[in-house]
Amino acid sequence: MVVFKKEIKQMTEEVCHFPTNEDYIGGTSEETYLKMNKKEKIMFGAIILTVVTHNFVKANDAEFSTQLTKFSNSLNGLTGPTALADKYGYSTEQLLSIKNDALAYAYFILKHGAGATYSKGWTSTGDELRGGTGTVSPTWPMGDPLTDPVPPTTSVLPGIEGRFRVNAKFSKDQTQYIVADGITMGIEVVSSPFVPSEGKPNLEGKLGDGGHPLLSYTKSKYQGVNIYKNSNDGKGFIFSHTVNDPTYTDYAALPAVGVSAVWVYRAFYLYKGKEVGTVSKDVSVTVTGLVVTE
């Protein structure tokens, strides 16, 4: 068993749970695994594997909300308890509590994000009213997050995460519990193996410091990205920079004062010094020459 776990660890770079005959990946046992050839083992390793950890609860608030909703939906059906709820014997009170907690936290996430957006809208309107140079009157931001949409009808007590852990443990402690059910309920941590050749940078761009393009992407386990740039000067895409940080500001000289141009960027992931995977989508940023003030 030690040798077996070591092979799995080497393939995935993570300590993984291996399903037993009673588990879910086709009833694959350790004995069956050891009889696989190298190609079969690699294919098996590509299956989503469960990481052995007790901390299955998402740390990010938005992801935690999604996890709560997934847990609730796996147990609360449209017409009553689901098959999983019946299998593990969740009571009516438990199911209602799980549902109300999920609704309450989802509402918090919605309002929290809407509040920030709404506040930013008012700030922009105020800036335009005070010092703007436009020829059209600014409009008032709409969609007051304090009134729309209305909150859930049932209030919940503090401690949603604690209750979530207890309700998850309720099924996990049962001898009939299998990992496949936990994945369906969102109470198992899963990860996909890192395959460098399958990467595609999620490149994003906007105006940053001093009107220069600010690019960002998710670095993950890659070394960084190679950035290619098309300045729309007839030269097409040419190599611009190798970027090892998840953000990059292009401080190339801006156009003449008052003149605008569209700069387009694309990127390849770098892994061990080589470009790998698929090129990102093209990202366009409009830049304008600004008056330099002392």
Side-chain angles (χ1 to χ4, degrees):
M1 188 64 180
V2 173
V3 175
F4 169 72
K5 284 189 175 180
K6 183 177 180 182
E7 282 198 67
I8 291 290
K9 185 177 188 293
Q10 289 173 340
M11 286 198 310
T12 65
E13 297 182 349
E14 296 182 44
V15 179
C16 302
H17 166 87
F18 185 81
T20 64
N21 283 332
E22 290 72 38
D23 247 327
Y24 72 103
I25 303 181
T28 305
S29 66
E30 177 181 352
E31 181 181 359
T32 300
Y33 173 83
L34 293 175
K35 291 180 180 179
M36 293 179 182
N37 59 37
K38 183 176 181 180
K39 183 177 180 181
E40 289 172 334
K41 288 179 180 179
I42 292 174
M43 292 179 65
F44 180 83
I47 299 172
I48 293 179
L49 298 170
T50 304
V51 179
V52 176
T53 175
H54 296 293
N55 191 21
F56 63 92
V57 179
K58 300 292 185 181
N60 176 273
D61 285 339
E63 293 178 353
F64 177 53
S65 178
T66 300
Q67 187 177 30
L68 290 173
T69 299
K70 182 174 184 177
F71 185 55
S72 176
N73 290 346
S74 71
L75 300 173
N76 289 290
L78 295 177
T79 58
T82 65
L84 282 176
D86 289 336
K87 175 179 179 178
Y88 291 105
Y90 282 92
S91 68
T92 301
E93 291 74 18
Q94 284 176 303
L95 294 175
L96 183 60
S97 175
I98 290 168
K99 181 178 181 179
N100 288 338
D101 281 350
L103 289 173
Y105 209 77
Y107 187 72
F108 154 70
I109 292 296
L110 173 67
K111 290 297 187 179
H112 188 263
T117 302
Y118 189 62
S119 176
K120 184 177 180 180
W122 277 102
T123 299
S124 298
T125 299
D127 291 344
E128 179 67 16
L129 284 172
R130 179 165 180 164
T133 59
T135 59
V136 179
S137 299
T139 57
W140 303 119
M142 303 298 290
D144 187 341
L146 297 177
T147 60
D148 181 38
V150 297
T153 56
T154 302
S155 298
V156 302
L157 294 173
I160 288 178
E161 181 177 329
R163 290 193 292 275
F164 175 54
R165 289 183 181 276
V166 170
N167 285 321
K169 188 174 184 295
F170 178 78
S171 58
K172 285 189 168 187
D173 283 350
Q174 298 184 34
T175 56
Q176 63 177 329
Y177 177 80
I178 59 174
V179 174
D181 290 343
I183 292 175
T184 300
M185 291 188 281
I187 56 177
E188 288 287 347
V189 178
V190 296
S191 66
S192 298
F194 175 61
V195 183
S197 62
E198 295 181 357
K200 179 179 180 179
N202 58 333
L203 192 66
E204 300 291 343
K206 62 181 181 180
L207 286 180
D209 183 38
H212 291 270
L214 173 62
L215 306 178
S216 62
Y217 69 100
T218 300
K219 185 174 180 179
S220 184
K221 296 181 180 179
Y222 292 93
Q223 172 187 337
V225 292
N226 273 347
I227 300 288
Y228 292 82
K229 176 182 176 181
N230 183 347
S231 300
N232 280 312
D233 54 3
K235 298 179 181 179
F237 279 95
I238 60 174
F239 173 76
S240 177
H241 282 83
T242 293
V243 180
N244 294 322
D245 295 323
T247 60
Y248 166 69
T249 299
D250 183 359
Y251 284 112
L254 296 174
V257 175
V259 177
S260 296
V262 177
W263 292 351
V264 187
Y265 301 86
R266 60 178 56 166
F268 276 100
Y269 270 128
L270 285 174
Y271 187 70
K272 295 184 178 180
K274 296 181 180 180
E275 291 185 353
V276 295
T278 306
V279 66
S280 71
K281 67 180 181 181
D282 289 351
V283 172
S284 300
V285 180
T286 300
V287 294
T288 304
L290 304 175
V291 176
V292 178
T293 59
E294 297 295 335

